[in-house]
Amino acid sequence: MTDTLVHTRTGLALLDVTLTYPDGESRLTALDHVTLEVAPGEFTAVAGPSGSGKSSLLAVAATLLRPDSGQVVIDGQDAGALGERARTALRRDRLGIVFQQSNLLASLTAVEQLLVLEDVRGGRVREARDRAGDLLSSVGLTGSKQHRRPHQLSGGERQRVNIARALFGRPSVLLVDEPTSALDHERGAQIVDLLAEVTRTHRTATVMVTHDRDLLGRVDRVLDMHDGRLTPAG
Ligand code: ADP
Ligand code: MG
């Protein structure tokens, strides 16, 4: 059946993906024949309760976990057909990932969190700094805040740094895991709005997973996840 599906040439496609984990003597099915296509500039939300498979979905889309079966296609490239090095390059060049846990480095300022991603040398330092500063400003982190370390920023501001950092490598696919879970409702809504804006301006194929259905106002499409199965929101 998968060979009859036409996947988008750019953006993200998961085609009939199944993922299991070892579970004692048997296997636990975390993703059960999941198919999902997200085009550039499209903001898709996947909503489901804890344990339904949302983080697993993102890990497979991020090529961090190999599915048992099915395909992961990023900008037309079948990730499963690539070797480890090519997959790492694909991840670096095409994917932006915002994890559930903010994994900012405690000792670095906001702008340095972005610069550390690049091996910046010579004349490119200035250019990269300017770009990092512009990106941080575009997500609402301006002026002296760009030179603060994580503990000097609020939860919402740290999440903005995470988003700017994910965008620094000019990804075509943006994967976001529960970006609002540590935020109050208003700040959570602001982050979802920001992701909608970023999806439009950077033309990313964006997938945000969340258990919070109250924050889905500005997404293009909502899918429900239950026991590893994905269905259109009802
Ligand atoms: P969600 O992000 O929606 O909470 P997860 O994708 O983290 O869901 O988990 C889906 C299911 O897979 C859960 O039952 C969870 O316990 C299980 N699971 C997740 N990661 C692992 C793992 N590394 N090993 C075994 N089981 C796992
Ligand atoms: Mg999760």
Side-chain angles (χ1 to χ4, degrees):
M1 208 192 117
T2 40
D3 54 324
T4 64
L5 284 167
V6 181
H7 54 72
T8 45
R9 259 164 50 77
T10 52
L12 172 71
L14 271 63
L15 304 175
D16 202 22
V17 164
T18 292
L19 174 78
T20 66
Y21 295 111
D23 182 27
E25 299 287 274
S26 63
R27 312 279 302 177
L28 182 150
T29 302
L31 298 176
D32 193 356
H33 298 284
V34 166
T35 290
L36 169 65
E37 297 188 52
V38 187
E42 185 186 0
F43 185 19
T44 291
V46 173
S50 175
S52 59
K54 304 183 300 296
S55 293
S56 299
L57 176 78
L58 292 187
V60 167
T63 76
L64 296 167
L65 285 181
R66 248 182 216 278
D68 299 43
S69 60
Q71 277 179 297
V72 177
V73 184
I74 293 160
D75 282 349
Q77 290 192 71
D78 179 357
L82 303 175
E84 190 54 48
R85 282 178 67 140
R87 220 144 32 98
T88 302
L90 179 75
R91 217 179 285 140
R92 186 195 57 217
D93 298 338
R94 310 280 175 154
L95 297 180
I97 308 173
V98 179
F99 285 111
Q100 196 163 359
Q101 307 287 329
S102 154
N103 46 359
L104 298 174
L105 297 162
S107 62
L108 299 185
T109 67
V111 77
E112 288 166 350
Q113 307 281 347
L114 276 62
L115 293 174
V116 75
L117 299 179
E118 277 211 346
D119 181 15
V120 184
R121 267 175 277 137
R124 299 187 49 222
V125 178
R126 179 66 179 280
E127 191 189 319
R129 277 201 173 270
D130 287 352
R131 219 176 90 68
D134 288 348
L135 261 179
L136 286 167
S137 297
S138 78
V139 299
L141 223 75
T142 54
S144 63
K145 285 190 177 177
Q146 297 186 357
H147 304 290
R148 293 195 194 162
R149 295 184 167 75
H151 73 275
Q152 299 165 313
L153 296 168
S154 71
E157 289 166 343
R158 282 199 292 273
Q159 203 52 285
R160 289 169 193 273
V161 178
N162 277 326
I163 292 166
R165 183 176 58 171
L167 292 169
F168 191 64
R170 298 186 170 89
S172 46
V173 175
L174 185 62
L175 304 170
V176 190
D177 196 348
E178 306 257 12
T180 62
S181 57
L183 305 177
D184 61 43
H185 188 272
E186 191 188 330
R187 287 195 178 75
Q190 288 168 0
I191 291 295
V192 176
D193 284 354
L194 173 62
L195 287 166
E197 184 189 317
V198 151
T199 299
R200 270 201 314 278
T201 53
H202 295 262
R203 299 288 301 158
T204 51
T206 304
V207 181
M208 173 183 77
V209 306
T210 181
H211 67 270
D212 191 351
R213 285 168 192 280
D214 294 341
L215 288 173
L216 301 176
R218 289 193 58 190
V219 306
D220 295 320
R221 178 169 62 142
V222 182
L223 300 168
D224 283 331
M225 182 135 229
H226 267 284
D227 295 333
R229 278 186 293 273
L230 208 54
T231 52

